[in-house]
């Protein structure tokens, strides 16, 4: 009898264990952290969605702003169609998540600042301002070199890097002697292509970096007021007495937190004034 009672108690205990396991609810799906990104109109991106397994669905709250397609198990193809905001809702085997995306217009302000044409060579100058509202890693400017009647003598392109929002920067385009003999007088930017990566996030820290120029020695002094490393660039623009650009010198520095650095920018051109245009990011 004692043996039967012992067996009976074991059966009851097993029944309780399996009973508890049977009444336990389904495992709750995990919610991935909501992420925020910026895209530029026309930008296409591929995103890997982690920690929620293979995707079962992916939907955009506004397909007219950002369209989405899932592929390759856990990946998304995103296309920014127009300025606005959209939420991408994704669901996978083990959970779900959201991507809040802001799409901004492509806008680059290009202002022609004249040219200095000599007998054998010359330079033309442009002032560039990023008006997209987000950091651009680069911009490719396509231009024409023209004569006084705007006849195109040659076409080319120039790439500029590290375009901080609303920070002015300058570029100079070389004009060779062969074009000068043909009557080259100026350049005209006709189009541009911007490079932006939604997965990269930079802070505009131009206000945290001071830059000064010493015209006697040509020394360009950088001072970082920020506590972390910062990439800084400065364009030293030289003007003649009439206010026309005669030369542009660009220097850059990678500054440690609260760090200082000195570079050199000299010009052989005669000038009456100068101005420093800076930009910094991290």
């Amino acid at each position: 009898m004692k043996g039967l009672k012992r067996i009976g108690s074991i059966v009851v205990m097993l029944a309780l264990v399996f009973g508890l396991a049977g009444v336990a609810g389904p495992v709750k799906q995990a919610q991935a952290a909501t992420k925020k990104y910026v895209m530029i109109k026309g930008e296409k991106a591929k995103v890997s969605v982690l920690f929620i397994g293979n995707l079962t669905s992916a939907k955009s709250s506004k397909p007219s702003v950002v369209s989405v397609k899932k592929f390759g198990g856990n990946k998304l193809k995103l296309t920014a169609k127009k300025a606005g905001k959209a939420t991408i809702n994704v669901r996978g085997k083990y959970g779900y998540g959201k991507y809040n995306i802001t799409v901004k217009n492509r806008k680059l302000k290009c202002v022609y600042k004249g040219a200095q044409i000599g007998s054998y060579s010359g330079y033309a100058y442009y002032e560039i301002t990023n008006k997209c509202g987000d950091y651009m890693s680069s911009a490719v400017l396509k231009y024409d070199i023209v004569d006084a009647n705007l006849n195109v003598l040659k076409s080319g392109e120039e790439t500029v890097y590290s375009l901080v929002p609303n920070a002015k920067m300058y570029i100079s385009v070389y004009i060779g002697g062969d074009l000068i003999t043909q009557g080259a007088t100026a350049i005209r930017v006709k189009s541009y292509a911007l490079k932006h990566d939604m997965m990269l996030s930079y802070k505009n820290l131009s206000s945290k970096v001071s830059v000064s120029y010493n015209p006697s020695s040509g020394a360009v002094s950088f001072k970082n007021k920020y506590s972390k490393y910062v990439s800084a660039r400065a364009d030293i623009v030289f003007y003649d007495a009439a206010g026309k650009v005669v030369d542009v010198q660009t220097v850059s520095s990678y500054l440690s937190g609260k760090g200082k650095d000195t570079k050199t920018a000299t010009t052989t051109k005669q000038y009456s004034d100068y101005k420093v245009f800076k930009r910094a990011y991290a």
Side-chain angles (χ1 to χ4, degrees):
M1 291 294 292
K2 290 183 178 180
L4 290 174
K5 287 182 179 179
R6 186 178 178 186
I7 292 172
S9 63
I10 293 174
V11 171
V12 171
M13 290 177 64
L14 290 172
L16 287 172
V17 171
F18 285 111
L20 289 172
V23 298
V27 178
K28 185 178 180 180
Q29 284 196 321
Q31 179 178 3
T34 300
K35 298 183 179 181
K36 297 181 179 180
Y37 294 105
V38 173
M39 297 183 74
I40 303 301
K41 181 181 176 182
E43 181 179 356
K44 296 181 179 180
K46 294 180 180 179
V47 180
S48 295
V49 183
L50 304 178
F51 309 121
I52 63 172
N54 286 344
L55 299 176
T56 56
S57 67
K59 295 181 180 180
S60 172
S61 63
K62 291 185 179 179
S64 61
V65 175
V66 181
S67 65
V68 60
K69 291 182 179 180
K70 59 185 179 67
F71 74 102
N74 69 329
K75 296 180 176 62
L76 300 175
K77 289 181 180 178
L78 303 175
T79 302
K81 294 187 172 182
K82 69 176 183 180
K85 294 183 178 182
T87 299
I88 306 300
N89 294 286
V90 296
R91 185 172 292 275
K93 185 177 179 180
Y94 305 116
Y96 56 97
K98 291 182 179 180
Y99 294 87
N100 290 333
I101 298 177
T102 299
V103 178
K104 299 188 177 183
N105 282 319
R106 289 177 174 266
K107 189 175 181 181
L108 196 67
K109 184 178 180 181
C110 304
V111 180
Y112 183 59
K113 290 295 183 176
Q116 292 292 316
I117 306 296
S119 300
Y120 303 103
S121 65
Y123 284 91
Y125 306 100
Y126 257 92
E127 179 186 273
I128 308 297
T129 309
N130 172 12
K131 291 292 185 179
C132 296
D134 200 43
Y135 174 88
M136 298 289 146
S137 57
S138 66
V140 178
L141 309 176
K142 293 186 177 182
Y143 62 84
D144 292 329
I145 298 177
V146 299
D147 62 16
N149 297 316
L150 301 183
N151 296 312
V152 177
L153 304 177
K154 184 179 180 180
S155 297
E157 62 181 41
E158 184 83 6
T159 302
V160 293
Y161 299 93
S162 307
L163 290 84
V164 174
N166 298 314
K168 293 180 179 179
M169 59 187 295
Y170 277 72
I171 64 168
S172 55
V173 177
Y174 177 75
I175 300 176
D178 58 328
L179 294 172
I180 292 174
T181 58
Q182 297 178 51
T185 59
I187 66 169
R188 294 287 184 267
V189 170
K190 56 184 179 180
S191 66
Y192 56 82
L194 298 172
K195 185 176 181 180
H196 179 266
D197 188 340
M198 64 172 280
M199 303 305 292
L200 299 179
S201 178
Y202 291 93
K203 290 183 179 179
N204 183 355
L205 296 172
S206 299
S207 62
K208 298 293 185 180
V209 174
S210 62
V211 183
S212 61
Y213 178 67
N214 185 329
S216 299
S217 64
V220 182
S221 300
F222 292 85
K223 183 178 180 180
N224 180 16
K225 305 171 189 175
Y226 192 54
S227 59
K228 299 179 182 180
Y229 277 95
V230 170
S231 293
R233 300 169 74 95
D235 296 323
I236 317 301
V237 182
F238 300 91
Y239 305 90
D240 63 15
K244 294 182 179 180
V245 177
V246 295
D247 196 13
V248 175
Q249 295 291 322
T250 300
V251 291
S252 60
S253 179
Y254 188 55
L255 300 161
S256 60
K258 304 294 183 178
K260 299 179 181 179
D261 192 16
T262 301
K263 301 292 184 180
T264 302
T266 58
T267 180
T268 58
K269 305 292 181 63
Q270 295 294 321
Y271 68 94
S272 298
D273 198 7
Y274 68 89
K275 190 172 182 179
V276 177
F277 295 87
K278 63 176 182 176
R279 56 196 187 277
Y281 58 93

